[in-house]
Amino acid sequence: MDMKKIEIFDPAMCCDTGVCGPIVDPKLTELATSIQTLIQKGFPITRYNLANNPAAFVENQLVNKVLHEKGPEALPIVIVDQKIDKIGEYPTAEDFSTWYEIDKSELKLKEPKTKLNITLQPKEN
């Protein structure tokens, strides 16, 4: 199997995944799920957040060049095997399944086998 190395250069976000705050972009949730699943399976994926890892953006010549030409609006930038694959958009489950030659159904979160049924009782004074 061809183990492609994927690097994702995110815009400045409040956390490493962007899945925080009052309004969460569903695309970022799907991306975080796919990445977590792939990492657990041993696939090499690294994410860099401009706010937390600015050195990675300066040190990577491809990313640095795009940022100088287009500015931070070009983010996110996705690099696959040291070649830019996407500028200004995140990879989808289809992208990951193509790059890693796996079925995209493997990237979905599995439903828990047992559902929790929780009933909250009002606090009595």
Side-chain angles (χ1 to χ4, degrees), residues 13-114:
M13 296 188 293
C14 56
C15 66
D16 287 339
T17 61
V19 183
C20 52
I23 300 171
V24 177
D25 182 343
K27 289 180 183 172
L28 288 177
T29 304
E30 181 183 327
L31 176 70
T33 300
S34 294
I35 289 172
Q36 185 61 32
T37 302
L38 288 164
I39 288 172
Q40 287 175 343
K41 292 176 182 274
F43 291 98
I45 300 175
T46 308
R47 270 181 101 173
Y48 303 100
N49 181 333
L50 183 57
N52 300 338
N53 315 100
F57 291 74
V58 174
E59 292 164 4
N60 186 298
Q61 292 177 353
L62 297 171
V63 172
N64 198 340
K65 183 174 189 256
V66 171
L67 289 176
H68 278 293
E69 291 171 0
K70 299 184 179 190
E73 298 77 31
L75 296 172
I77 298 170
V78 181
I79 296 180
V80 179
D81 285 343
Q82 301 178 8
K83 292 183 185 116
I84 292 177
D85 194 280
K86 291 184 173 286
I87 294 176
E89 63 180 300
Y90 283 104
T92 62
E94 288 83 6
D95 292 324
F96 286 121
S97 67
T98 300
W99 293 329
Y100 287 131
E101 299 174 5
I102 59 171
D103 191 289
K104 81 174 185 178
S105 67
E106 292 184 49
L107 301 176
K108 300 288 181 204
L109 272 181
K110 305 279 188 265
E111 289 292 321
K113 290 184 173 137
T114 31

